[in-house]
């Protein structure tokens, strides 16, 4: 079974609108971390936001917020006020217990976001 | 402070050739990782090194070997390249308490 599922291969959004990228995860661990990365056409992986499983509040970083619904095992990324520069591939990833530096991330297959002017 | 560096950026090999992808980080991180990225597949873990002196297989280790040369460097070797190894390879590292995995710029490898 896939650990990270991103059901939207591609999404379109109008500039200045908000968009939600879906991510569901599968784990039996109580302690885990959830990540979102952006990959523009230039190819580099850019860290956007992190949510720990014990964090009570949803993580926010500027225009990015993570809608964390633990019971549903979902960690959707919300981008507010989309910009043309947000057009990229977006990956959801999870780090399972122990939540320390040495556990590898497991990635979803990604969602390609296109922002339309 | 260069972060995570990878060499080369691009490489073309013929089937059966060997090569080593180099990765280094200057952030004093304990853990390092090699991923490959194929279209529609996301990033898949090849090998990782939780700390200097240890290495472990990931999801897709066949056809690869790794060496954690020291705390800074983690290399990936293809002994006999196959067309199925055509991919983009990313090296990454994480410190003990960081909630972020830092990625190198990637190596685009084509095996003919």
């Amino acid at each position: 079974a896939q650990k990270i599922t991103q059901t939207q291969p591609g999404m379109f959004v109008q500039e200045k609108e908000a968009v939600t990228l879906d991510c569901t995860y599968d784990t039996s661990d109580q302690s885990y971390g959830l990540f979102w990365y952006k990959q523009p056409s230039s190819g580099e992986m850019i860290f956007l936001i992190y949510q720990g499983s014990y964090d009570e509040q949803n993580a926010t970083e500027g225009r990015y917020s993570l809608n964390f619904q633990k019971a549903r095992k979902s960690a959707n990324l919300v981008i507010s006020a989309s910009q043309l520069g947000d057009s990229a591939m977006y990956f959801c990833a999870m780090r399972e217990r122990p939540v320390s530096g040495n556990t590898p991330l497991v990635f979803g297959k990604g969602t390609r976001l296109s922002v339309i002017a | 402070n260069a972060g995570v560096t990878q060499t080369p950026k691009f490489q073309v090999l013929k089937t059966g050739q060997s090569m080593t992808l180099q990765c280094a980080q200057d952030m004093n991180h304990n853990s390092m990782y090699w991923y490959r990225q194929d279209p529609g597949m996301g990033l898949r873990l090849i090998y990782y090194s939780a700390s200097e002196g240890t290495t472990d297989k990931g999801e897709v280790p066949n056809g690869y070997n790794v060496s954690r040369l020291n705390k800074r460097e983690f290399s990936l070797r293809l002994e006999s390249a196959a067309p199925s190894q055509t991919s983009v390879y990313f090296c990454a590292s994480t410190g003990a308490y960081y909630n972020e995995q830092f990625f190198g710029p990637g190596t685009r490898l084509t095996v003919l």
Side-chain angles (χ1 to χ4, degrees):
Chain A
Q2 283 188 39
K3 294 255 182 198
I4 297 287
T5 302
Q6 295 181 253
T7 57
Q8 307 151 315
M11 291 275 290
F12 289 90
V13 65
Q14 204 75 34
E15 197 179 8
K16 299 180 186 176
E17 297 291 313
V19 62
T20 298
L21 306 183
D22 294 342
C23 173
T24 57
Y25 59 91
D26 182 25
T27 182
S28 56
D29 291 343
Q30 296 301 309
S31 179
Y32 52 89
L34 297 155
F35 301 73
W36 277 92
Y37 281 83
K38 173 184 178 181
Q39 187 179 44
S41 57
S42 51
E44 71 267 33
M45 295 290 288
I46 301 168
F47 168 75
L48 294 178
I49 197 166
Y50 167 82
Q51 178 86 40
S53 60
Y54 292 118
D55 295 341
E56 294 188 352
Q57 296 207 340
N58 287 342
T60 60
E61 290 286 348
R63 293 186 299 110
Y64 303 107
S65 60
L66 199 152
N67 185 358
F68 181 46
Q69 298 190 43
K70 198 169 182 177
R72 294 187 175 186
K73 293 188 176 178
S74 74
N76 298 339
L77 178 70
V78 180
I79 305 175
S80 63
S82 297
Q83 302 172 356
L84 295 178
D86 294 334
S87 293
M89 197 75 169
Y90 288 81
F91 291 100
C92 180
M94 177 173 64
R95 170 176 288 144
E96 292 181 284
R97 179 171 55 102
V99 183
S100 65
N102 58 18
T103 312
L105 296 183
V106 176
F107 286 83
K109 295 185 178 181
T111 295
R112 183 169 298 282
L113 177 67
S114 299
V115 181
I116 305 165
Chain B
N1 192 343
V4 181
T5 57
Q6 292 182 236
T7 55
K9 285 188 167 52
F10 300 94
Q11 184 71 49
V12 179
L13 293 177
K14 293 181 180 178
T15 297
Q17 287 185 316
S18 62
M19 79 160 296
T20 300
L21 281 64
Q22 306 286 355
C23 174
Q25 52 88 12
D26 62 1
M27 296 173 282
N28 200 36
H29 285 169
N30 291 323
S31 306
M32 299 184 72
Y33 315 84
W34 278 105
Y35 295 89
R36 60 177 287 174
Q37 183 180 21
D38 302 296
M41 297 297 293
L43 277 74
R44 293 182 293 169
L45 182 70
I46 305 172
Y47 270 94
Y48 71 103
S49 172
S51 60
E52 189 178 351
T54 69
T55 59
D56 285 286
K57 294 179 181 179
E59 180 185 355
V60 288
N62 291 347
Y64 305 96
N65 286 301
V66 290
S67 296
R68 183 74 182 267
L69 304 170
N70 47 55
K71 192 171 186 178
R72 288 187 65 248
E73 298 172 288
F74 188 39
S75 63
L76 179 72
R77 183 158 178 85
L78 287 70
E79 290 291 352
S80 179
S84 60
Q85 294 177 305
T86 293
S87 189
V88 179
Y89 291 84
F90 285 98
C91 178
S93 71
T94 308
Y97 300 104
Y98 294 161
N99 292 323
E100 178 181 345
Q101 193 162 93
F102 295 82
F103 283 83
T107 294
R108 186 172 294 274
L109 175 67
T110 301
V111 183
L112 302 174

